[in-house]
């Protein structure tokens, strides 16, 4: 068995206002694997994600490709872990699409004449090469999400972390995103409320509740176990009572 | 929305669009300085000659003349107040001069703004020595203008659909409602800024934003600067020549 | 109160432009913090917020509505130097993208609204911060910021020779006063709501100023300069003789007339030049006061 690309042990994090957001999380991600992260709002999923490239640093250890995250390893870790946030508007901050995709490349020390062809290559990869000169606010939600992913892929990360990537997408947009993500070789962690999306993308899932991972299995098993989907019209019966309740802590 | 139209115009490829932003800024400042130093006592029928320069630029840039002329009229409400002031004070000539000078200046500024994408404009300002930090603040402001305005628009619709619109009388609860709406908008914007900063850090941001486009002036840019300054001075001198 | 191009005289444009360039350069160095451009997203997004907040109208009465200016609000939340930079960015975008305010007049607009308005309002807020109610400090600071902007703008216009009949002037000052009261009321409302959402949003007003006396003097200087410029424009005789004594009047005349020999000599009559010189002096005085004020306020941070 090879070493995991992400290993998290005993991770605890308390926000400055005193809220305990993570309460002892253990987690492993193998090379090339895709894991869905499920759980109610406020259960610590997004806080967890922010620890994966050192944006937050709590107690316990987080290791990426064998490097333990700390002050000295931040730069290499952020090149290994690509984070795609929920709202692409927050991720596309440069005046044009091409400049946005090149942002990370320029930060990693490339010269503009080296960064531009690379940025174009990754725009082509996500099918957005026609939009290079456009300003982000002229794009649809799906297009913005694609550009955001291109900007992260341009860093050539080994792990891709997506926080609620389908929030601003319509079903065809979600389908396109699914096809794109399936075509990528990276190991992936996908935080989502979208149960269909989780089932189609990931073979394994973890379920967060009150800052802990309380369940692990295939997405289907977890969805059934935690009563985590809408009552489908075809079932024609009320959802079965579940063992654990998905209480929101908002 | 206004800046969307301007942005569309600015992405043209005409001979004016392709000029180095610095050349356009220098020519614009020369023109505005000529207009600003023209005495208000100058004959009001001479001032319109200044329009030659912005009109030439607008036509060469193949911008819709009517649209640009109408857009420059945003200065008129402000002018109107002081035109009335001048007329009440009996200074007809000054009233005409204020009106003409401010409209012509706005027309020239618009001719440059409508042919220069904001990012290139800022690159030009940086090359001319403006503080980098301020320029990046302007860039982020421009980027999130539309997003935040849309949020405000949604909040206004939500308030209106609960019966907050209309009415002519001052009511303190309305002021309170507006205050809390603004506070919510503030908190959301603050969170957005934090999220944006996190996204920047995630992509290796280490405190300095790199520019992608290098500016490379050519002979056309030099010609624009020379022409802009020469014509501005020429017009300025013509304003005060004895008839 | 965005002054377009075509209104201000060359002397006023030069004086306010120089004052603003220096002030903004200095403030942006203060505001950017230790890590070079890391605060640019915060200030930019908050600038977009002020733009959007200006879309939320509130009724003034008689069918008219007002909206927030926002400079004081930014100063009470982000701090004075970031507020100056953010307001400058807003004014720049308004001038370049919306043709709201002139390009050459940007210096004057920045001086009035981003520098004098913001810092004047903030200083008053800090000086009154020790009193029992934060509401009073917020209200006074925000109202004062609007009045400072309005008085400075009108003074600059008057100094540039724009006629202002007393009756109409009274009406516009009255309107500005109403706007100032509203700005104060709304800012109080927003600050209270923000303090409920997250107390960390609001800069502590009760923290004692390091040198309250100097701060008070600086504040008085700002207001005196604002009002002084105003009176100078109405009765320029005092400043005229002062300028002539210092030899500034003659030199300014020579400098301004030199590049364009065909200049209309009649326009360069004594009154106009001396009004302009009075303007330069007044603006310079106000700026010096603001610089002094900034030095006092920020010494603590820099240490």
């Amino acid at each position: 068995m090879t070493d995991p690309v992400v290993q998290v042990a005993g991770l605890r994090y308390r926000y400055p206002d005193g809220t305990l957001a993570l309460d002892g999380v253990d987690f492993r991600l193998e090379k090339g694997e895709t894991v869905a992260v499920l759980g109610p709002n406020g259960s610590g999923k997004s806080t967890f994600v922010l620890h994966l490239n050192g944006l937050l640093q709590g107690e316990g250890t987080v290791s990426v490709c064998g490097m333990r995250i700390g002050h000295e390893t931040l730069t290499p870790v952020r090149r290994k872990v690509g984070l795609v946030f929920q709202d692409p508007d927050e991720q596309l901050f440069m005046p044009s699409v091409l400049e946005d995709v090149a942002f990370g490349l320029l930060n990693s020390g490339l010269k503009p004449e080296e960064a531009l062809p690379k940025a174009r290559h990754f725009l082509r990869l996500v099918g957005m090469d026609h939009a290079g000169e456009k300003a982000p606010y002229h794009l649809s939600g799906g297009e913005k999400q694609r550009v955001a992913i291109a900007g992260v892929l341009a860093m050539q990360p080994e792990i891709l972390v997506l926080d609620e990537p389908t929030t601003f997408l319509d079903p065809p947009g979600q389908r396109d995103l699914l096809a794109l993500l399936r075509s990528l070789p990276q190991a992936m962690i996908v935080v989502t409320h979208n149960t269909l999306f989780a089932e189609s993308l990931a073979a394994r899932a973890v379920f967060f509740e009150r800052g802990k991972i309380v369940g692990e299995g295939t997405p289907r098993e977890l969805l059934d176990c935690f009563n985590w989907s809408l009552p489908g019209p075809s079932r024609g019966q009320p959802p079965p009572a579940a063992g654990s309740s998905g209480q929101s802590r908002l | 929305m206004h800046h969307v139209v301007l942005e569309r115009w600015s992405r043209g490829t005409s001979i004016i669009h392709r000029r180095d932003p610095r050349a356009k800024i220098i020519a614009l400042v020369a023109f505005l300085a000529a207009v600003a130093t023209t005495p208000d006592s100058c004959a009001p029928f001479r001032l319109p000659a200044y329009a030659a320069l912005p009109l030439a630029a607008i036509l060469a840039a193949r911008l819709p003349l009517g649209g640009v002329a109408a857009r420059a009229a945003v200065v008129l409400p402000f002018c109107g107040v002081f035109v009335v002031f001048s007329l009440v004070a009996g200074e007809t000539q000054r009233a005409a001069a204020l009106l003409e000078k401010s409209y012509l200046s706005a027309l020239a500024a618009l001719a440059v703004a409508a042919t220069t994408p904001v990012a290139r404009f800022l690159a030009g300002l940086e090359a001319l020595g403006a503080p980098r930090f301020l320029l990046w603040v302007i860039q982020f402001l421009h980027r999130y203008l539309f997003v935040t305005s849309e949020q405000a628009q949604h909040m206004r619709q939500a308030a209106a659909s609960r019966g907050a619109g209309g009415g002519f009388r001052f009511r303190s609860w309305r002021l309170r409602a507006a205050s809390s709406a603004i506070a919510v908008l503030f908190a959301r914007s603050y969170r957005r800024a934090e999220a944006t900063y996190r996204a920047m850090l995630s992509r290796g941001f280490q405190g300095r934003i790199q520019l992608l486009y290098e500016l490379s002036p050519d002979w056309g840019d030099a010609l624009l600067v020379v022409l802009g300054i020469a014509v501005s001075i020429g017009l300025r001198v013509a304003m005060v020549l004895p008839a | 109160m965005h002054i377009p191009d075509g209104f201000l005289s060359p002397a006023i444009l030069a004086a306010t432009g120089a004052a603003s360039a220096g002030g903004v350069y200095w403030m942006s160095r203060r505001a950017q913090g230790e890590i070079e451009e890391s605060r640019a997203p915060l200030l930019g997004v908050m600038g977009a917020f002020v733009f959007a907040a200006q879309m939320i109208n509130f009724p003034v009465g008689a069918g008219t509505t007002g909206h927030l200016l926002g400079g004081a609000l930014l100063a009470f939340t982000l701090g004075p130097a970031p507020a100056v930079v953010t307001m400058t960015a807003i004014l720049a975008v308004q001038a370049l993208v919306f043709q709201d305010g002139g390009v050459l007049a940007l210096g004057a607009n920045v001086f009035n609204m981003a520098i004098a308005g913001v810092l004047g309002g903030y200083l008053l807020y800090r000086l009154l911060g020790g009193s029992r109610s934060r509401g009073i400090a917020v209200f006074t600071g925000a109202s004062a910021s609007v009045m400072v902007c309005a008085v400075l703008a009108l003074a600059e216009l008057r100094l540039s020779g724009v006629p202002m009949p007393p009756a109409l002037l009274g009406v516009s000052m009255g309107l500005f006063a109403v706007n100032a009261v509203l700005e104060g009321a709304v800012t109080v409302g927003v600050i209270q709501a923000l303090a409920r959402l997250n107390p960390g949003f609001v800069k502590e007003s009760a923290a004692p100023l390091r040198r309250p006396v100097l701060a008070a003097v600086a504040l008085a200087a700002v207001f005196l300069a604002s009002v002084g410029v105003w009176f100078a424009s109405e009765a320029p005789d005092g400043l005229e003789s002062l300028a002539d004594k210092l030899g500034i009047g003659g030199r300014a005349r020579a400098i301004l007339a030199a590049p364009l020999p065909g200049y209309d000599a009649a326009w360069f009559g004594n009154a106009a030049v001396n009004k302009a010189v009075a303007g330069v002096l007044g603006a310079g005085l106000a700026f010096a006061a603001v610089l002094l004020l900034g030095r006092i306020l920020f010494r603590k941070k820099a240490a």
Side-chain angles (χ1 to χ4, degrees):
Chain A
M1 196 171 162
T2 54
D3 288 334
V5 285
V6 174
Q7 179 140 35
V8 178
L11 183 62
R12 285 167 58 88
Y13 184 77
R14 194 181 284 280
Y15 275 103
D17 68 358
T19 321
L20 186 65
L22 293 177
D23 186 12
V25 173
D26 300 300
F27 178 82
R28 264 172 85 96
L29 181 73
E30 306 296 339
K31 200 167 162 47
E33 188 190 18
T34 299
V35 174
V37 175
L38 309 171
N41 294 330
S43 60
K45 304 186 301 290
S46 293
T47 311
F48 173 67
V49 161
L50 295 178
H51 280 82
L52 295 176
N53 72 353
L55 286 171
L56 294 178
Q57 293 181 30
E59 300 164 42
T61 61
V62 181
S63 300
V64 171
C65 302
M67 290 178 287
R68 186 172 165 179
I69 295 185
H71 188 68
E72 319 75 50
T73 55
L74 275 185
T75 308
V77 161
R78 283 179 184 163
R79 299 192 60 173
K80 296 278 184 205
V81 182
L83 224 59
V84 180
F85 293 91
Q86 177 176 18
D87 183 351
D89 265 324
E90 284 160 3
Q91 191 144 1
L92 306 182
F93 40 78
M94 295 296 277
S96 75
V97 165
L98 196 62
E99 283 171 276
D100 206 280
V101 177
F103 176 82
L105 295 169
L106 293 171
N107 281 333
S108 65
L110 289 189
K111 293 197 176 66
E113 58 269 25
E114 300 163 336
L116 272 178
K118 268 200 155 178
R120 289 217 175 81
H121 166 76
F122 283 99
L123 272 180
R124 215 165 20 248
L125 194 72
V126 299
M128 289 296 296
D129 40 336
H130 58 282
E133 305 301 322
K134 279 194 181 175
Y137 57 74
H138 289 299
L139 305 179
S140 72
E143 289 175 322
K144 282 183 200 166
Q145 189 65 269
R146 281 166 172 271
V147 174
I149 291 174
V152 167
L153 286 179
M155 305 288 286
Q156 288 167 291
E158 294 196 18
I159 303 126
L160 211 51
V161 183
L162 300 104
D163 191 359
E164 299 284 1
T166 59
T167 309
F168 296 95
L169 301 184
D170 54 12
Q174 297 179 10
R175 207 165 51 218
D176 292 346
L177 177 67
L178 193 64
L180 172 65
L181 294 181
R182 276 179 170 166
S183 71
L184 298 174
Q186 277 89 353
M188 267 179 241
I189 298 173
V190 182
V191 177
T192 186
H193 282 318
N194 188 330
T195 54
L196 281 173
F197 193 76
E199 277 189 282
S200 328
L201 190 63
R204 185 161 77 92
V206 294
F207 197 94
F208 268 74
E209 206 169 68
R210 295 167 203 250
K212 282 183 190 153
I213 292 181
V214 293
E216 194 174 336
T218 67
R220 186 74 259 163
E221 285 166 6
L222 291 184
L223 298 179
D224 288 339
C225 169
F226 291 96
N227 188 17
W228 205 244
S229 27
L230 295 173
S234 56
R235 290 177 200 166
Q237 57 192 26
S244 173
S245 70
Q247 242 178 19
S248 170
R249 265 202 314 124
L250 248 185
Chain B
M1 235 176 122
H2 175 104
H3 73 291
V4 175
V5 177
L6 198 70
E7 210 258 359
R8 203 179 57 224
W9 284 348
S10 73
R11 292 190 310 133
T13 53
S14 78
I15 188 164
I16 303 289
H17 284 86
R18 276 179 280 135
R19 293 282 69 77
D20 189 295
R22 284 171 294 184
K24 286 188 259 189
I25 294 169
I26 292 169
L28 173 65
V29 170
F31 177 81
L32 292 178
V35 175
T37 55
T38 306
D40 288 348
S41 56
C42 172
F45 54 85
R46 283 193 187 185
L47 279 166
Y50 272 125
L53 207 54
L55 286 181
I58 291 164
L59 291 176
R62 296 195 211 97
L63 295 174
L65 189 57
V68 178
R71 205 160 284 270
V74 294
V75 295
L76 295 183
F78 184 97
C79 290
V81 174
F82 290 97
V83 165
V84 170
F85 277 27
S86 303
L87 290 177
V88 169
E91 299 187 39
T92 323
Q93 198 165 28
R94 191 187 299 278
L98 289 179
L99 198 64
E100 290 172 80
K101 283 165 76 176
S102 56
Y103 184 78
L104 289 167
S105 302
L107 202 60
L110 195 55
V112 172
T115 56
T116 318
V118 170
R120 268 177 72 78
F121 205 110
L122 296 180
L125 286 176
E126 190 193 358
L128 290 170
R132 269 180 71 92
F133 178 68
L134 175 67
L135 297 178
W136 281 111
V137 173
I138 294 175
Q139 194 262 297
F140 279 101
L141 196 165
H142 185 253
R143 167 65 185 91
Y144 289 105
L145 199 54
F146 194 57
V147 180
T148 315
S149 302
E150 225 168 40
Q151 265 180 359
Q153 198 72 41
H154 291 323
M155 288 172 68
R156 225 160 59 161
Q157 283 161 357
S161 65
R162 284 183 292 163
F168 286 94
R169 283 185 49 211
F170 175 81
R171 295 227 197 275
S172 68
W173 63 264
R174 276 215 200 126
L175 209 61
R176 267 210 308 283
S179 303
S180 36
I182 291 171
V184 169
L185 203 59
F186 180 102
R188 282 191 191 169
S189 303
Y190 206 94
R191 270 203 293 275
R192 176 184 300 283
E194 286 176 338
T196 301
Y197 186 52
R198 277 204 296 269
M200 290 169 70
L201 286 178
S202 299
R203 287 201 277 157
F205 176 66
Q206 284 168 342
R208 194 163 173 88
I209 305 169
Q210 304 286 321
L211 268 185
L212 190 53
Y213 297 113
E214 305 278 331
L215 299 174
S216 50
D218 58 19
W219 286 107
D221 301 320
L223 187 68
L224 176 62
V225 171
V226 171
L227 266 182
I229 293 177
V231 174
S232 298
I233 292 181
L235 285 168
R236 171 67 187 78
V237 171
M239 290 297 146
V240 290
L241 286 179
Chain C
M1 183 106 198
H2 295 61
I3 304 173
D5 280 329
F7 276 80
L8 297 177
S9 68
I12 296 285
L13 286 173
T16 53
S20 294
V24 168
Y25 181 75
W26 186 46
M27 286 293 159
S28 68
R29 300 227 3 216
R30 290 213 163 273
Q32 73 187 69
E34 305 89 64
I35 313 166
E36 288 175 89
E37 270 120 34
S38 57
R39 291 187 83 183
L42 175 65
L43 270 52
V45 175
M46 295 321 283
F49 151 75
V50 171
F51 250 96
Q54 291 182 348
M55 291 169 60
I56 296 174
N57 291 317
F58 34 79
V60 176
T64 55
T65 58
H67 66 72
L68 194 72
L69 279 174
L73 177 62
L74 286 180
F76 303 161
T77 49
L78 304 181
V84 169
V85 175
T86 308
M87 288 306 285
T88 304
I90 291 171
L91 293 168
V93 169
Q94 283 171 335
L96 299 178
V97 182
F98 294 87
Q99 281 68 54
D100 197 1
V103 172
L104 282 189
L106 187 59
N109 289 325
V110 165
F111 181 77
N112 303 344
M113 285 184 266
I115 297 180
V118 166
L119 294 185
Y122 179 75
L123 197 61
L124 206 53
Y125 169 70
R126 289 296 303 269
L127 280 175
L128 295 175
S131 66
R132 253 173 302 152
S133 158
R134 178 164 67 190
I136 294 170
V138 170
F139 180 86
T140 317
S143 305
S145 79
V146 173
M147 284 317 281
V148 167
C149 297
V151 168
L152 279 175
L154 287 174
E156 286 155 8
L157 287 166
R158 183 71 196 92
L159 285 169
S160 300
V162 177
M164 290 187 190
L168 294 178
L169 190 62
V171 173
S172 35
M173 286 309 284
L175 285 175
F176 280 125
V178 171
N179 261 320
V181 169
L182 274 175
E183 179 89 5
V186 173
T187 307
V188 169
V190 175
I191 291 281
Q192 279 169 352
L194 279 177
R196 276 197 300 276
L197 283 173
N198 177 356
F201 277 143
V202 184
K203 282 257 180 283
E204 198 44 68
S205 66
L209 274 177
R210 249 169 81 99
R211 300 203 197 147
V213 178
L214 254 180
V217 172
L219 188 65
V222 174
F223 284 109
L224 275 180
S226 314
V227 179
V229 169
W230 181 253
F231 279 112
S233 68
E234 294 305 308
D237 302 331
L239 278 164
E240 182 179 337
S241 59
L242 176 68
D244 276 343
K245 254 180 225 154
L246 295 172
I248 299 172
R251 214 176 302 151
R253 223 164 310 175
I255 291 166
L256 284 169
L260 296 166
Y263 223 83
D264 188 350
W267 183 73
F268 257 113
N270 254 337
V273 168
N274 286 311
K275 267 185 187 175
V277 170
V280 176
L281 278 178
L285 197 64
F287 184 60
V290 170
L291 283 182
L292 179 70
L293 168 168
R295 175 134 294 169
I296 304 155
L297 283 180
F298 295 115
R299 181 159 297 157
K300 195 158 54 182
K301 255 192 196 165

